[in-house]
Amino acid sequence: MPTKTATYSADALTVLEGLDAVRKRPGMYIGSTDSRGLMHCVWEIIDNAVDEALAGFCTTVDVVIHPDGSVEVRDNGRGIPVDVQKKSRLTGVELVMTKLHAGGKFGGGSYGAAGGLHGVGASVVNALSVRLDVEVDRAGKTYAMSFRRGVPGIFDGEGPDAPFTRKAGLHPRGSVPKTRTGTRIRFWPDFDIFEPEASIDVREVRERVATMCFLVPGLKVVLLDKRAGAADRAGGHIGC
């Protein structure tokens, strides 16, 4: 009979690179893969936008639940940084979306208070999404980037089933007034990870954004549920 030490050596250890760990053990990051875990992903993206308001840089957040089950969050905050970080040689958007424990909430004075973990939360949501699109308005330009299950690339068409080509980098996508800043994130949950019956409860989202508006003076949050039967679920179009 082999000894315990003989059957357990360094060769038995597995190192998961990048966001592989999130997809391998999603429960460690979002608690579960049922509706609660899916709602956790929604909170992470909303909280990042609200944290911009807490920092004094955002006044409006739009939350849209699309008919295809994707969720979009738009804010008029500063926008995720688009310049290249010297250490990683990645843009701020790539860093936030692809690296765990990367973001502006771990020091440096970017945020005095934070509810979402900008970087941890965004990268986890990215890893658990079959498609995630991000657009950032900064310095008079709109920058865009897309991901499939955390891998950067380009989709040739709408929706998560469009042809996908791997390609790193942030891409300029037109000009905007220099005074316009903000971030737009839309993600399609990966139901290879989430349970088939997992769904977004718009009433729960409504209650949470109403609480946020109460706690953050001057913040306006608009919730729009575009799914069929939205009026029956008390979603609709609200403002705080």
Side-chain angles (χ1 to χ4, degrees):
M1 180 177 179
T3 64
K4 292 182 179 180
T5 54
T7 58
Y8 183 59
S9 65
D11 291 336
L13 304 179
T14 300
V15 179
L16 297 176
E17 300 291 343
L19 298 179
D20 290 342
V22 180
R23 294 186 58 81
K24 187 72 174 178
R25 294 288 185 268
M28 294 177 60
Y29 298 87
I30 60 171
S32 66
T33 55
D34 57 12
S35 294
R36 292 173 299 169
L38 180 54
M39 293 297 288
H40 187 99
C41 290
V42 176
W43 303 149
E44 287 292 350
I45 302 302
I46 293 177
D47 285 350
N48 285 337
V50 173
D51 286 340
E52 279 289 284
L54 281 169
F57 299 103
C58 172
T59 58
T60 302
V61 176
D62 295 329
V63 181
V64 183
I65 306 173
H66 290 277
D68 60 4
S70 62
V71 178
E72 183 177 6
V73 178
R74 305 186 291 252
D75 70 66
N76 66 344
R78 291 170 291 183
I80 301 172
V82 297
D83 56 312
V84 176
Q85 189 205 52
K86 293 180 181 179
K87 183 177 180 180
S88 65
R89 296 184 180 180
L90 297 174
T91 64
V93 172
E94 293 172 277
L95 204 58
V96 163
M97 290 295 168
T98 64
K99 302 298 181 183
L100 292 171
H101 310 295
K105 300 178 184 176
F106 303 102
S110 296
Y111 292 91
L117 290 177
H118 199 172
V120 175
S123 59
V124 167
V125 176
N126 193 18
L128 301 179
S129 298
V130 68
R131 175 173 180 171
L132 184 146
D133 296 336
V134 55
E135 290 186 344
V136 176
D137 295 331
R138 279 185 74 123
K141 293 183 179 180
T142 295
Y143 298 86
M145 195 168 185
S146 294
F147 304 85
R148 170 172 280 176
R149 298 183 173 96
V151 176
I154 297 175
F155 286 89
D156 185 17
E158 301 294 326
D161 296 327
F164 176 79
T165 303
R166 291 191 178 200
K167 185 176 182 180
L170 190 63
H171 312 292
R173 185 181 286 176
S175 301
V176 296
K178 289 187 177 181
T179 55
R180 181 187 300 176
T181 58
T183 300
R184 295 174 294 280
I185 293 176
R186 182 176 178 181
F187 72 94
W188 288 255
D190 187 354
F191 282 92
D192 285 347
I193 298 292
F194 292 100
E195 297 175 9
E197 63 274 14
S199 63
I200 297 167
D201 186 341
V202 70
R203 289 188 178 90
E204 191 175 344
V205 179
R206 184 187 180 111
E207 291 174 1
R208 188 175 180 108
V209 298
T211 300
M212 289 173 173
C213 291
F214 177 77
L215 295 174
V216 186
L219 174 64
K220 178 182 179 181
V221 180
V222 177
L223 170 62
L224 182 59
D225 187 353
K226 292 186 175 181
R227 297 173 297 180
D232 297 333
R233 292 191 298 272
H237 184 258
I238 67 172
C240 304

